[in-house]
Amino acid sequence: MVPKRKHCSARSKKRRGGHLKSNPMTTIACPKCGEPMLPHRICPNCGNYKGKEIISVSEQ
Ligand SMILES: [Zn+2]
């Protein structure tokens, strides 16, 4: 006898645990200020995204 059906992809992924999923805490360095920030997000330190200041960060 052979298995009648293959496992579905969800079952295979569940068995493999977490080593296949990408790291959720990936950060890039801000090109403006060099601070680590989430990719495709406005920089929380200087408020810049794609070379433009989107939000004004109060400087003290
Ligand atoms: Zn920045």
Side-chain angles (χ1 to χ4, degrees), residues 30 33 43 46:
C30 173
C33 66
C43 174
C46 64

Side-chain angles (χ1 to χ4, degrees), residues 30-35 37 43-48:
C30 173
K32 192 88 175 179
C33 66
E35 284 289 309
M37 58 184 247
C43 174
N45 190 58
C46 64
N48 276 259

